Amino acid sequence: MGYSSPKYKTFAESPFPSLGFLESMMFNFSFSYQFYSNARVGYSQWISFKSDKYEGEDFSRSFKYRALVIETFYFPMKQLELNFTLGPMINKGSISLATKQTIDAWDDLLEEFDNSGINVSASDEMTTTFIGITSSVGARYYIRPYTAVELQIGFMENYYNENNWSFKDQDIKGPNIDIKDLPVFTFGMVYGW
Amino acid sequence: MRLAITLCLCSCLFGLDVKKTENPCQSELIIKARKEGMRSIKPAELPQYIIDLWFCRKEAAGKRTMQLINKTTYEADQENSAKMQGFTSTCAYCASVSVVFFYMSKISGN
């Protein structure tokens, strides 16, 4: 589980209710492989997700911060590991809206079978991709040789551009979001061999 | 589809070559883990090790054996990774310095 402090400016001014503290919580998972006595390589992903209603329709926005990381570590004492993580990121943002509407062709077809007033749902999303880097330092305490709890403090530096969104293969302008420098605090369970 | 997955899993389970010893706590893998730590067990040996460990738990010496394996594993981990080696210290310095600079610049308001 990660905590950060993004500023979703456009969203804050919009009709969506703010989730407060929860809006800054991110779900995080990662996989890593130890290739050296003091080093691991892996993949890590943080997900910031929000779903709500926009003008009565289902709205969702997600940011996936995806990093390929190299993590070096050492054991200053038994069961306690200090680790240092660095990695480039390729992130993805998406905003989707599912609308219910009546489409004449569908209506005509359904009426053939004595149906009427059935809404057809149409969903589309606008997306963006941006790069970044992440770095963190942390401590991991092994409760069992294969289970540990971990606490990390770090940051993400994102190069997000609001003019770099696309919708149905067209370049469009997206929300003004301040996610350039994100402090990140992560707490997690580690399970592995 | 579900049937295919179930059949596949079942065939994998039936295909496991489970070696049983009279005292599961004295199996080759348990002895290896007790001497060198559980990370000395290779991924291919893992199913057999888990099975041995499962049967060993029920033995009189099971708890003691598991405590010994845990202790040896912690010691082996510390021995193998007590100090940074080679390039790893460079990565650690880079990560530490960047985190410190980031928070210093945040605190100073730049």
Side-chain angles (χ1 to χ4, degrees):
Chain A
M1 195 68 95
Y3 176 77
S4 188
S5 59
K7 286 177 186 153
Y8 300 111
K9 287 176 188 168
T10 308
F11 294 113
E13 291 160 10
S14 73
F16 313 122
S18 171
L19 295 176
F21 182 76
L22 284 175
E23 197 158 64
S24 299
M25 298 294 285
M26 292 194 285
F27 176 71
N28 167 229
F29 66 86
S30 57
F31 309 96
S32 61
Y33 173 73
Q34 186 175 334
F35 69 97
Y36 191 66
S37 60
N38 287 85
R40 305 183 189 104
V41 284
Y43 171 81
S44 194
Q45 182 167 307
W46 292 262
I47 302 166
S48 165
F49 180 82
K50 185 182 176 184
S51 70
D52 215 313
K53 292 277 180 194
Y54 178 75
E55 295 184 3
E57 308 289 0
D58 293 333
F59 158 90
S60 73
R61 132 359 239 131
S62 85
F63 280 93
K64 288 178 185 163
Y65 302 96
R66 305 174 294 196
L68 286 171
V69 293
I70 180 161
E71 185 176 74
T72 57
F73 61 92
Y74 77 101
F75 284 76
M77 60 177 75
K78 228 189 273 180
Q79 294 178 255
L80 182 70
E81 170 197 305
L82 294 184
N83 52 48
F84 309 87
T85 311
L86 271 176
M89 303 174 88
I90 303 172
N91 309 318
K92 191 184 177 195
S94 70
I95 293 173
S96 73
L97 197 61
T99 53
K100 288 188 181 70
Q101 52 197 313
T102 308
I103 296 173
D104 290 344
W106 263 112
D107 249 9
D108 295 343
L109 180 67
L110 292 169
E111 273 174 20
E112 296 279 344
F113 314 125
D114 295 331
N115 299 300
S116 63
I118 293 175
N119 290 326
V120 179
S121 176
S123 176
D124 251 316
E125 66 173 7
M126 51 191 274
T127 58
T128 185
T129 304
F130 53 99
I131 58 167
I133 52 165
T134 183
S135 180
S136 62
V137 294
R140 183 182 290 187
Y141 183 77
Y142 285 88
I143 303 164
R144 291 274 182 277
Y146 47 84
T147 313
V149 285
E150 188 172 60
L151 198 64
Q152 283 186 319
I153 177 169
F155 70 90
M156 288 178 197
E157 184 89 20
N158 295 309
Y159 302 98
Y160 167 78
N161 183 354
E162 65 182 89
N163 297 312
N164 201 15
W165 284 76
S166 67
F167 182 71
K168 288 187 178 288
D169 296 329
Q170 282 184 45
D171 293 338
I172 56 162
K173 199 174 170 183
N176 174 18
I177 302 169
D178 185 6
I179 49 175
K180 190 173 179 290
D181 309 315
L182 291 183
V184 179
F185 306 96
T186 309
F187 173 77
M189 290 291 294
V190 182
Y191 190 82
W193 201 248
Chain B
M1 184 61 188
R2 278 184 197 164
L3 182 68
I5 292 168
T6 312
L7 283 174
C8 187
L9 283 174
C10 288
S11 63
C12 286
L13 286 173
F14 283 123
L16 276 177
D17 180 21
V18 181
K19 294 170 196 163
K20 277 195 175 175
T21 50
E22 281 192 16
N23 183 355
C25 294
Q26 293 298 322
S27 78
E28 272 178 45
L29 293 173
I30 297 275
I31 291 170
K32 190 180 176 187
R34 222 166 48 195
K35 281 183 183 167
E36 300 166 37
M38 62 194 286
R39 296 199 217 290
S40 64
I41 307 293
K42 292 171 188 157
E45 298 169 331
L46 207 54
Q48 179 67 49
Y49 174 70
I50 291 168
I51 290 164
D52 288 350
L53 207 61
W54 180 259
F55 288 116
C56 176
R57 283 164 67 130
K58 294 171 185 171
E59 297 291 319
K63 199 176 174 186
R64 177 81 187 127
T65 306
M66 296 225 278
Q67 281 173 345
L68 267 174
I69 291 172
N70 289 357
K71 189 170 173 271
T72 317
T73 307
Y74 295 140
E75 283 168 357
D77 281 350
Q78 198 191 7
E79 198 177 313
N80 293 334
S81 316
K83 287 178 182 172
M84 292 279 183
Q85 288 171 23
F87 70 96
T88 58
S89 55
T90 314
C91 285
Y93 285 130
C94 287
S96 315
V97 168
S98 60
V99 170
V100 169
F101 269 91
F102 177 83
Y103 282 96
M104 277 173 66
S105 67
K106 275 277 171 194
I107 290 165
S108 65
N110 293 326

